[in-house]
Amino acid sequence: MAISLRLKDEETRLIRTYAQLHNQNLSEFIRQTVLERIEDECDLCAYEDAVRVFREDPQTFTLDEVEQALGFQTTPTDSPE
């Protein structure tokens, strides 16, 4: 699939130069940049959801409690020596 993008000459030069500095062609640079932007927005949404859930029920657990609940240790006092 091809996507067309309209840019001013100055913008094209700037983007092409930046891509070359990072050893990428223009197409790969734009593709990677757009996908990273989408991933960042998804991460931000997940973070905002997690904050909302925490504010509704601010219960926290220690690492020992989580390990014990997941069966990674048999007692809260197990620790490597």
Side-chain angles (χ1 to χ4, degrees):
M1 170 190 235
I3 295 176
S4 179
L5 181 64
R6 296 179 198 272
L7 299 168
K8 297 177 184 175
D9 289 342
E10 182 180 314
E11 294 169 335
T12 301
R13 280 191 300 276
L14 175 64
I15 294 170
R16 189 179 306 276
T17 300
Y18 188 86
Q20 288 172 347
L21 287 172
H22 294 279
N23 299 316
Q24 293 180 308
N25 64 45
L26 187 59
S27 180
E28 178 60 23
F29 172 73
I30 291 171
R31 183 182 89 54
Q32 181 180 341
T33 301
V34 169
L35 292 175
E36 285 176 1
R37 172 71 182 263
I38 292 169
E39 183 180 354
D40 288 348
E41 275 198 47
C42 289
D43 289 346
L44 181 58
C45 287
Y47 165 77
E48 289 170 346
D49 286 345
V51 168
R52 180 186 48 76
V53 168
F54 177 75
R55 286 185 178 146
E56 290 171 3
D57 181 14
Q59 185 175 9
T60 60
F61 302 93
T62 66
L63 179 58
D64 285 337
E65 291 170 330
V66 172
E67 288 176 343
Q68 187 173 8
L70 295 175
F72 294 133
Q73 66 182 35
T74 55
T75 64
T77 58
D78 284 352
S79 62
E81 297 196 19

